[in-house]
Amino acid sequence: MSPRPTLLPGEASFSVAMQAAQDGDTAAYRALLRDCVPIIAAMARAKGVRGAALDDVVQDTLLTVHRARATYDPARPFLPWLRAITQRRAIDALRHMGRRPREVHEPLAYEAHADEAAIPGDDLERRDRAAILAAAVAHLPDGQREAIEHIALRELSLEEASALTGRTKGALKVNFHRGLKSLRTLLSPRHEGTDV
Amino acid sequence: MSNHDPPIDDLVEDLTRSLTPTRRLPGPGRRALAWFGAVLVVGLVLVPMSDVSGLRERLGVPDLQWAAFGAILTAFAAALAAFQSSVPGRSPVWSWLPLPPLVIWLGASGLGCMRGWLAPAANIAGPEEMRGCFVFLMGVSLPLSVLLVLMLRRACPLRPNLTAALAGLAAAAAAAALLVPFHPHDATATDLLIHFVAVLLVVGLNGLFGGRLLDGTAGSLSRRRKASL
């Protein structure tokens, strides 16, 4: 039971056209319906309607607008009236689609379709990799460890890392590159199987 | 989606060609008053057959007074909510409007039931009278429902089942209010149950059949096209 909404300036032309249509002005009605098509499509899309169903919703909404035209009150804005009809028709279409059974007609494509979900054990593997990297970083000399931790792992800028550590930007850069080189060596296949 | 989609362009042309001047529907409040006027006419027609002196006596009892008042308010509030729900873009909150008077109606009727236990000498209805009440409630509710559904069909209910159920509640409450002058006994639990069953039956029947009558999508072009595929 909200207060009666006021007419926005942009909506006035719709309201005038609908009023003319109620009086039987076919030219105004044709123009109004054509102007409504992209608006209805956008409203239906916002409700989640996609593909061919969008066309159906637009057509059903236009039919309902035609049937409901006597209920439009020109003192009220037109778009909320149109939105209410569109949203209901969009919900009807989505329900209809939900009830329809879906069949897979391409068994090969179905079999070959990659699963977008995480591979089982992916999380464990990621945790293992993080533990190995943390252990390798801990083995670095202090200067290099600081540079890697702040710049690579915490993604701070050189200025921020410099302000935080009290080292010059040049020193941080040098330590960062040396640290990367050391990590590359520590994490290379030759070191696999060691405690790092 | 473009403005040059052939099926949509064709549909716009079809709709434009079938356009005729339309009389704007009066607001939901005025239409609800018109239906309520019809209920009053039915009440006036029934007055000569009622027990007016007994009615005065019964309305002296507070809970019967409140039950009658609640039923009248429920009838009007539910009719107004049904008419509001039949106009696109109106707030869905209107659908809750009949709830407070419904609570008054059912609450006062429930209090009346206690009289049977508290005052054993109270005038309690026999099975024959209860059957009469049920027949009266159904007999009056159904034509009032039909009238309301016919009036609602002129609008465009987007949730036809809800609108039809509200119409059923309005008709059942109006029938219960019209029953008061013919109700020569005090309320009891069985009496309340009879009323409750009659109300549920009318609301259910309306929701089931009225909803179909009010559903404007049944004849839509795209549905017909889909059905033919």
Side-chain angles (χ1 to χ4, degrees), chain A residues 14-33 65-66 69-70 72 78, chain B residues 16 19-24:
Chain A
F14 286 112
S15 184
V16 169
M18 192 63 198
Q19 207 172 339
Q22 285 175 329
D23 296 336
D25 183 340
T26 50
Y29 192 46
R30 184 182 291 113
L32 173 74
L33 292 181
V65 164
H66 186 73
R69 65 191 190 281
Y72 176 66
F78 176 78
Chain B
T16 306
L19 182 74
T20 49
T22 317
R23 205 155 53 91
R24 246 163 256 135

Side-chain angles (χ1 to χ4, degrees), chain A residues 10-93:
Chain A
E11 283 190 307
S13 60
F14 286 112
S15 184
V16 169
M18 192 63 198
Q19 207 172 339
Q22 285 175 329
D23 296 336
D25 183 340
T26 50
Y29 192 46
R30 184 182 291 113
L32 173 74
L33 292 181
R34 281 188 180 153
D35 288 346
C36 283
V37 169
I39 299 172
I40 295 168
M43 287 172 176
R45 232 179 265 125
K47 264 285 179 198
V49 181
R50 298 282 182 276
L54 206 58
D55 247 8
D56 289 346
V57 171
V58 172
Q59 291 189 49
D60 275 345
T61 305
L62 289 175
L63 283 161
T64 312
V65 164
H66 186 73
R67 194 184 150 237
R69 65 191 190 281
T71 67
Y72 176 66
D73 176 1
R76 287 170 177 266
F78 176 78
L79 289 180
W81 182 81
L82 181 68
R83 185 177 296 111
I85 295 174
T86 308
Q87 286 183 344
R88 181 46 52 181
R89 292 298 165 250
I91 290 168
D92 288 347

Side-chain angles (χ1 to χ4, degrees), chain B residues 50-62 64-65 180-181:
Chain B
S50 67
D51 171 20
V52 181
S53 57
L55 173 70
R56 273 201 210 105
E57 217 170 279
R58 280 193 299 280
L59 287 183
V61 182
L64 289 178
Q65 209 175 38
V180 173

Side-chain angles (χ1 to χ4, degrees), chain B residues 26-42 72-73 75-84 144 147-148 151-152 170:
Chain B
R30 281 177 62 189
R31 299 172 69 216
L33 277 174
W35 177 79
F36 205 68
V39 174
L40 288 181
V41 169
V42 173
I72 293 168
L73 270 187
F76 184 72
L80 180 59
F83 281 113
Q84 287 285 357
L144 288 177
L147 174 67
L148 196 45
M151 288 174 81
L152 288 163

Side-chain angles (χ1 to χ4, degrees), chain B residues 57-152:
Chain B
E57 217 170 279
R58 280 193 299 280
L59 287 183
V61 182
D63 55 69
L64 289 178
Q65 209 175 38
W66 277 103
F69 179 64
I72 293 168
L73 270 187
T74 305
F76 184 72
L80 180 59
F83 281 113
Q84 287 285 357
S85 74
S86 73
V87 177
R90 295 298 166 99
S91 170
V93 178
W94 281 106
S95 306
W96 296 100
L97 186 68
L99 202 61
L102 183 66
V103 169
I104 295 175
W105 175 27
L106 295 182
S109 304
L111 275 177
C113 294
M114 292 171 73
R115 194 181 301 104
W117 296 310
L118 297 176
N123 180 15
I124 292 167
E128 202 55 44
E129 282 172 320
M130 288 203 184
R131 201 174 302 130
C133 285
F134 185 75
V135 171
F136 181 95
L137 285 172
M138 296 305 287
V140 174
S141 294
L142 292 178
L144 288 177
S145 293
V146 171
L147 174 67
L148 196 45
V149 168
L150 287 177
M151 288 174 81
L152 288 163

